[in-house]
Each structure stands twice: as structure tokens, then as C-alpha cells.
Amino acid sequence: GAQPANWPEGAAWVKADLLDPPSYEAGLAGAKCVVHLAAITGKAKRAEYERGNVDATDALLRASVRAGVERFVFVSSIATTFADRRSYHYADSKIAAEALVREAPIASVIVRPTMILGPGSPIEGSLGMLAGLPMSPVFGDGRRMVQPIDVEDVVDALCALARGTAPASGVIEL
């Protein structure tokens, strides 16, 4: 899409296909940090997750290294930590992408947010609908902890990582 009206000064807006590095390599020139949030989510086939989450991350990582980018911030998912991932191809694709990030010759940090809540969030809408029911549903055995996070807190964390005011290596669970 078009660059938002409130796009921050000093940040580059590049519309491109991550699987086509020539479409964005010029935009990486001189960049100190890449924050990679693009992903295939929702209902998709295993091959779509593989292409959009693994192959695209690999292409962007390689292009970032070639361009001399100093830091790579990869937004993954808390789903990578789930014990039961049977038929959860999204989580498997994020695990594979995380491995690529760890192996790349660039300073990197992996960010694993939980459910992100904020205006227009599908999850927030669903939780609001559940909260309006005459009784509270309990999923599974009722002992699973869920810790949603506000979108503004996620943005603050990503900005700190991009600016280098937070650790630029390892895994951060939000």
C-alpha cells in the first residue's frame, strides 16, 4: 500500500515482494536495522506458510546481509513454544524462520509476541464477544495461562530494538 501520512522521519517505506530481493535491495542500502513483520497467518496450506514465512525470511536476511544491515529484528510468534503443534503449520514455519535468523551472519533478535490486542484486532473482537456471553467458557483444562499484549506495547518494544536501545540478540517473549 501507500506510505501512511504519519510515517516517521528517517524510516524507509518500500513496497516490495520479499521473495524478489531486487524489488527492495535499493531500500536496504544504508539501513542500520530491518524489522521484519511480514508473515502468512490465518488459514493457509503448509506450502504457503513455507513460502511466505520461511523462504521470504531467508531472502530478506540474505539481502540484508549483502546490504550491510547491522541489526535484524524478526517478529515471530509465541506459537513456536507450543508443545502440541500437530497440523499447526504456521508455528512450524515460524520455527524454521527463527532457525534461519539465528544462523545468519548478522546481529539479530527474535521477538515472540502473544495475542496482540488493539483497535480492530480480530482477537480482541473475539474475546469481547466471549466476555458478553452469559457464562464464561473454559478451554482445555482451564490451567493454560494466556497473556495478551497491547499493540502499543509491542510497537514500543520494536522501536527500542530498531533504535538499538534494547538488546539486539537472543529471543524476547512479549
Side-chain angles (χ1 to χ4, degrees):
Q3 178 174 320
N6 60 349
W7 191 251
E9 189 176 321
W13 178 269
V14 179
K15 182 179 177 182
D17 177 349
L18 290 181
L19 291 165
D20 180 23
S23 71
Y24 58 84
E25 284 178 325
L28 293 174
K32 291 184 179 179
C33 180
V34 167
V35 180
H36 176 29
L37 296 115
I40 300 295
T41 62
K43 293 183 181 180
K45 295 179 181 174
R46 179 187 294 271
E48 293 173 89
Y49 288 121
E50 188 77 21
R51 184 170 158 76
N53 296 342
V54 182
D55 298 345
T57 298
D58 187 44
L60 181 57
L61 271 167
R62 290 174 187 272
S64 296
V65 169
R66 284 192 304 272
V69 173
E70 297 172 11
R71 187 171 46 256
F72 193 90
V73 179
F74 176 63
V75 179
S76 184
S77 170
I78 201 71
T80 61
T81 66
F82 295 173
D84 183 4
R85 292 189 318 277
R86 287 173 290 176
S87 300
Y88 199 4
H89 307 309
Y90 168 75
D92 290 341
S93 72
K94 285 297 198 172
I95 289 169
E98 283 188 9
L100 292 171
V101 172
R102 278 191 201 90
E103 294 164 6
I106 187 173
S108 62
V109 62
I110 296 167
V111 180
R112 294 180 183 152
T114 57
M115 293 185 293
I116 301 174
L117 304 180
S121 163
I123 294 171
E124 189 167 339
S126 298
L127 291 175
M129 186 179 69
L130 290 173
L133 295 175
M135 59 179 66
S136 296
V138 175
F139 302 98
D141 62 9
R143 289 187 262 167
R144 181 146 185 108
M145 297 295 290
V146 178
Q147 298 173 310
I149 186 166
D150 185 77
V151 66
E152 293 295 329
D153 292 333
V154 175
V155 170
D156 288 346
L158 293 177
C159 287
L161 289 164
R163 290 185 184 114
T165 55
S169 64
V171 176
I172 298 173
E173 293 183 354
L174 297 177

